[in-house]
Amino acid sequence: MKLRVALSLAAAAVAAPALMTSAPVAVAQSGDLAAVQRHLQQTESMVASFTQTDRAGKVLAGTMTLKKPGKIRFQYQQGVPYLIVADGRNLHFLDYQVRQQQRWPIGDSPLGVLIDPRQDITRYAKVVPGTDPRVLTVEAHDPKRPQYGRISMIFARDSAAPGGLRLQGWVALDSQNNRTTIRLSDQKFNVPVNDRTFRWNDPRRGGRPG
C-alpha cells in the first residue's frame, strides 16, 4: 500500500499527450485547458482538507499544504504513520511505522504540475465532456509512465478562485486498476505559508510525523 498511497496522491498532475479532436471540440478543449493552466499559474499557495478513499472504501483524512515553487505536504490524521512532503527539491514518502523513506526528484514526479510554475498542462491533458457546466474534468495519462496509471482532476468553476477554477480533487487509477479518490474541501488560496511547514523528521532515526 505504501508506494501506491504516495503515487495516488502524487498522480494529481501526470501529463499525457492531447488527443486528436474535431475543430469545435478542439477549440472548447483549448479554452478549458487554458483556464486550468491559469488556475495552476495563479495558485501560489493553497491549504485544504483532504480525504483519501481507496477501492476497498477505506478513508483517510488530513491536510494538504502547497507553496510554489516545489513545496507540498500531505499531513495525515493523527494515528496514520505516513507523510508525503516535497521540500523544494525532492518528493519524500515517509513511513514512520516501519522507519522507511522513499525519495525522488520533483521533476520526476507528476506532482510537478501542481508545484512547478514552469509546467504547461495544455500540452498534455484532455478535457472530459460532462453534463454539468459548473464542473470541469481534465484527464491525463502518460504511456511512458504506466506506473502512474490514469488521473482525472476535477475543478469547480468559481470566479473567486484563481483562474476562475477551484480544484476539488482527483481520481487516480493505477496500473493494477486500484482506484483512489482524493477530495479537497475548505480550500484557501494564496494564503501565507511558512517554509517550516515542509520540514520533516527522518523515520530512520526514530522520528515521528510532524
Side-chain angles (χ1 to χ4, degrees):
M1 176 182 177
K2 302 167 191 173
L3 184 57
R4 180 164 61 83
V5 169
L7 293 180
S8 295
L9 280 167
V14 67
L19 301 183
M20 295 295 290
T21 60
S22 62
V25 175
V27 170
Q29 289 231 352
S30 177
D32 283 337
L33 286 176
V36 172
Q37 182 69 13
R38 286 194 299 273
H39 167 84
L40 296 173
Q41 289 177 335
Q42 294 176 18
T43 301
E44 295 297 326
S45 68
M46 178 170 62
V47 178
S49 299
F50 75 87
T51 58
Q52 171 187 304
T53 307
D54 65 18
R55 66 173 183 171
K58 181 178 180 180
V59 179
L60 299 176
T63 300
M64 183 189 79
T65 306
L66 175 154
K67 183 178 182 180
K68 293 180 180 176
K71 297 182 177 69
I72 196 166
R73 182 184 183 106
F74 294 92
Q75 179 72 55
Y76 285 91
Q77 66 202 58
Q78 186 174 2
V80 177
Y82 306 132
L83 175 65
I84 297 172
V85 59
D87 57 12
R89 294 181 300 176
N90 296 299
L91 181 68
H92 306 265
F93 175 65
L94 310 168
D95 185 332
Y96 290 90
Q97 186 172 30
V98 297
R99 297 186 178 183
Q100 289 183 352
Q101 173 192 353
Q102 298 178 54
R103 180 183 68 182
W104 55 95
I106 291 172
D108 294 342
S109 164
L111 268 177
V113 171
L114 284 180
I115 57 182
D116 184 351
R118 299 170 299 178
Q119 296 284 349
D120 183 2
I121 197 173
T122 64
R123 298 175 53 198
Y124 308 109
K126 70 170 185 175
V127 174
V128 178
T131 58
D132 189 342
R134 300 169 298 178
V135 177
L136 174 60
T137 301
V138 175
E139 182 182 86
H141 166 62
D142 187 349
K144 295 181 180 180
R145 296 179 178 180
Q147 69 271 29
Y148 292 143
R150 295 181 178 272
I151 182 72
S152 295
M153 290 189 291
I154 300 94
F155 298 87
R157 300 187 190 274
D158 182 351
S159 60
L165 295 175
R166 178 182 296 268
L167 179 61
Q168 298 290 83
W170 54 88
V171 179
L173 188 68
D174 70 17
S175 56
Q176 286 76 45
N177 290 320
N178 296 306
R179 182 181 299 272
T180 303
T181 300
I182 304 296
R183 293 184 175 89
L184 302 180
S185 61
D186 195 25
Q187 299 93 324
K188 297 180 177 64
F189 297 99
N190 298 329
V191 295
V193 175
N194 195 302
D195 284 342
R196 290 195 297 269
T197 302
F198 308 99
R199 295 178 181 175
W200 47 274
N201 299 319
D202 193 332
R204 297 166 298 183
R205 299 175 181 173
R208 301 186 63 81

